[in-house]
Amino acid sequence: MTLLVIGGSGFLGAELVRRAVAAGHTTAATFATGHGGTAEATWHALDLRAPDRVEAVVAEVGPRVIINATSSRSDWAVTAEGPVRLAMTAAKYGSRLIHVSSDAVFSGTRVHYDESCLPDPLTPYGAAKAAAETGVRLLHADAVIARTSLIIGDGRRSEHVRAVHGLAAGTRDGVLFTDDIRCPVHVTDLAAALLELAFDDSKGVHHLAGTDAVSRHELGILIARRDGLDASRLPAGLRAESALPGGLDIRLDSRTTQRRLRTTLRGARRFLVPAA
C-alpha cells in the first residue's frame, strides 16, 4: 500500500516516514527546502501554495493514503489554504486523507475539549488551523482530522525541547509559563497512532494527545531532568501577565480515540523520565 507523507522532512513527518518504511509500506514524502534522510522513501519537492504542483505529486505517487503533517505557523496560504487544495486533490484521486491539526483551534474557555467541541480560536495560527479543518471536512467527507498538542521527542528536534536546552544554558531569552497548560504527546506515540488511523476505516475528528495536563514550566522541568540539565535555571512566569495571545488551559480529551487504538498515548510524566 502506498503512503504519501506531506511534510516528510519535518519532526513529525520524519517519524511517520521512518515507521511507514519499517512497516513495509511503499512510502513517498514531500519537502519544502530539503528532504529527509530516509533513503527507502521517494522524495518530492512540494509547495502547498501551488495547486498544480499538489496535483502533480499526488498523480505521480498514486497514494492510497495521504497524511498531511505540515506546519507553517505564519503563512495562511500554507496552513489554511494548502490543506484545502490537498483535500480536493485527495478526493479527486480517491486517496484517504489524514490531516494533522492542533489544540490551537480552541480558546481554553472550556478547558477540557473532546472531539465534539467546535473550534473557537484566539490566534491567527489557530484560525488558520480551524479554517483548514472546515475546508478538509467539506471537501473530503471521509477524511480524518487528527488534533494534537505539544509534540516531544527523545532528541532535540522538538522546538519545545530546544527551548528548554537554550533556557537552561542561558543562550535563549524568555520564560516558561506556569499557567499555560497543555497535554504533550511523544512523537513516536503520535506517529504510530496516525498510522493506525490511516490504515483503518476511521474518519471525522480524533484527538491524539497525552494523558497528562502539564504547564509549560512543568514540562520544561521534566525535559531538563530527563536530559541531565539544571532545572533550577529555567525561569518561570505567567502567560496571563504577558502580551502573548492565545488560550491558557487547553486540555485535549483523547479517551474516545484511545479506546480504538492499540497505541498508548502516554502522558509527559510517563515518557519524560530520566534514563536509568
Side-chain angles (χ1 to χ4, degrees), residues 14-184:
E15 180 64 20
L16 286 164
V17 171
R18 186 191 69 80
R19 297 182 75 93
V21 167
H25 300 297
T26 301
T27 306
T30 73
F31 62 92
T33 56
H35 70 69
T38 305
E40 295 87 352
T42 59
W43 292 90
H44 304 263
L46 178 63
D47 184 339
L48 281 177
R49 295 170 295 186
D52 292 344
R53 182 60 185 157
V54 171
E55 179 156 356
V57 170
V58 173
E60 180 179 350
V61 174
R64 174 66 184 87
V65 180
I66 301 171
I67 302 180
N68 180 25
T70 56
S71 178
S72 181
R73 288 185 174 270
S74 60
D75 194 326
W76 179 273
V78 174
T79 304
E81 297 173 3
V84 174
R85 296 187 184 96
L86 189 60
M88 292 174 64
T89 306
K92 177 179 178 179
Y93 285 87
S95 301
R96 277 181 53 75
L97 177 61
I98 315 297
H99 173 70
V100 180
S101 190
S102 167
D103 57 11
V105 302
F106 297 123
S107 68
T109 302
R110 292 177 56 109
V111 177
H112 299 276
Y113 291 88
D114 64 19
E115 288 87 346
S116 68
C117 295
L118 298 177
D120 61 340
L122 295 178
T123 64
Y125 173 67
K129 295 297 280 187
E133 286 189 11
T134 300
V136 168
R137 295 186 71 182
L138 287 173
L139 293 168
H140 198 308
D142 293 332
V144 169
I145 306 293
R147 296 183 185 131
T148 191
S149 190
L150 309 182
I151 308 175
I152 310 299
D154 294 331
R156 294 179 64 174
R157 288 204 68 184
S158 166
E159 62 179 291
H160 312 293
V161 174
R162 290 196 303 271
V164 170
H165 277 253
L167 289 169
T171 59
R172 181 180 180 131
D173 295 328
V175 299
L176 296 174
F177 298 124
T178 58
D179 59 345
D180 189 333
I181 312 296
R182 299 294 187 273
C183 296

